[in-house]
């Protein structure tokens, strides 16, 4: 039976997240968790220079040894990024027993969640997944999205957030608010140059 996935954006701020493994794959997972403001612990006898630097900066905690049964106690989420099948199986078993979110990299059968390919533009987050069928395709789609949605969308979203607050204060009904926000979006989308200096003023006119 095919596995069904329900896409969500998970709040991991200050949550205890473990990464088992210290290679380049583990490094990528750690960087994503740090970006999500998690409290990250890495367990591995050897680590990359980047992970070592993150540890020196106090951004992550590093335990330089192999995974042991019981290491997952108190964890909110765990990612196993090792090439040791015995360790991966043990991590999955312990996480499953304790009801912890677990992802064993490149082994969907040892996961209760999978990590999508992500484009971030400030608070705009666009994720792509193939449900574990072909991560390479998700990566290709992500690169296409990166070209379509440039860094200017970070500021775009901030301005839209401001406009939304003004709209909520000015209009009482959801219908009126929806029409006002649609006018703002239409005004922005007509601009092809993405010169943002005059957009804030145009918001007020659109609203």
């Amino acid at each position: 039976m095919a596995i069904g996935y329900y896409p969500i954006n998970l709040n991991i701020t200050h949550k205890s997240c473990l990464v088992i493994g210290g290679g380049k794959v583990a490094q990528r997972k750690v960087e994503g968790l740090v970006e999500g403001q998690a409290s990250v612990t890495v367990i591995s006898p050897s680590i990359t220079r980047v992970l070592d630097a993150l540890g020196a900066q106090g951004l992550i905690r590093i335990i330089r040894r192999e995974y042991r049964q019981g290491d997952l106690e108190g964890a909110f989420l765990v990612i196993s990024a090792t090439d040791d099948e015995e360790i991966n199986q043990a991590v999955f078993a312990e996480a499953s027993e304790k009801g912890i979110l677990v992802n064993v990299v490149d082994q969907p059968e040892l996961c209760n969640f999978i990590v999508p390919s992500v484009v971030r533009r400030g608070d705009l987050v666009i994720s792509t997944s193939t449900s574990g069928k072909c991560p390479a395709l998700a990566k290709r789609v992500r690169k296409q999205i990166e070209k379509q949605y440039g860094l200017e969308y970070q500021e775009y979203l901030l301005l839209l957030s401001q406009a939304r607050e003004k709209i909520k204060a000015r209009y009482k009904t959801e219908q009126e608010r929806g029409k006002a926000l649609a006018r703002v979006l239409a005004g922005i989308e007509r601009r092809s140059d993405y010169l943002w200096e005059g957009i804030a003023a145009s918001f007020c006119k659109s609203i």
Side-chain angles (χ1 to χ4, degrees):
M1 184 176 68
I3 298 174
Y5 291 101
Y6 181 71
I8 63 172
N9 288 334
L10 190 65
N11 178 4
I12 60 171
T13 303
H14 306 313
K15 298 287 197 308
S16 176
C17 297
L18 301 184
V19 175
I20 313 299
K24 290 185 177 180
V25 174
Q27 177 186 308
R28 291 198 300 271
K29 302 304 180 182
V30 167
E31 289 170 334
L33 293 171
V34 169
E35 191 171 12
Q37 301 181 51
S39 176
V40 182
T41 298
V42 173
I43 301 177
S44 179
S46 61
I47 58 174
T48 66
R49 292 182 179 179
V50 171
L51 291 176
D52 193 36
L54 290 173
Q57 295 171 49
L59 295 175
I60 64 174
R61 177 184 175 221
I62 299 171
I63 300 176
R64 295 176 183 266
R65 59 165 173 77
E66 295 284 4
Y67 157 82
R68 298 172 186 167
Q69 181 72 23
D71 280 341
L72 307 191
E73 191 66 40
F76 175 74
L77 176 153
V78 60
I79 296 175
S80 186
T82 81
D83 55 7
D84 188 315
E85 184 62 26
E86 187 176 340
I87 288 178
N88 289 338
Q89 290 281 354
V91 169
F92 176 72
E94 182 180 352
S96 298
E97 181 183 347
K98 294 179 177 177
I100 298 170
L101 291 169
V102 59
N103 175 279
V104 176
V105 175
D106 291 334
Q107 293 188 254
E109 69 278 8
L110 298 182
C111 303
N112 57 27
F113 79 95
I114 56 176
V115 181
S117 193
V118 175
V119 174
R120 292 183 183 273
R121 297 294 183 252
D123 288 328
L124 176 62
V125 180
I126 307 171
S127 61
T128 305
S129 172
T130 59
S131 299
K133 297 296 189 299
C134 185
L137 176 60
K139 184 178 181 180
R140 170 172 283 196
V141 173
R142 186 203 75 210
K143 289 182 177 180
Q144 294 171 348
I145 293 172
E146 285 176 335
K147 294 177 182 178
Q148 184 174 355
Y149 294 89
L151 297 175
E152 67 275 2
Y153 274 82
Q154 179 171 345
E155 186 173 354
Y156 179 11
L157 181 55
L158 289 174
L159 291 169
L160 285 173
S161 178
Q162 295 170 17
R164 183 167 175 264
E165 291 304 313
K166 291 180 181 179
I167 288 170
K168 287 168 66 177
R170 183 170 299 183
Y171 298 100
K172 294 183 179 180
T173 70
E174 288 298 321
Q175 185 177 15
E176 289 175 321
R177 292 172 179 175
K179 289 180 179 179
L181 188 56
R183 290 196 298 272
V184 172
L185 287 166
I188 298 281
E189 290 168 355
R190 282 196 297 269
R191 297 179 62 89
S192 60
D193 54 6
Y194 293 110
L195 297 177
W196 301 98
E197 292 85 351
I199 290 182
S202 71
F203 274 177
C204 294
K205 294 180 182 179
S206 298
I207 295 170

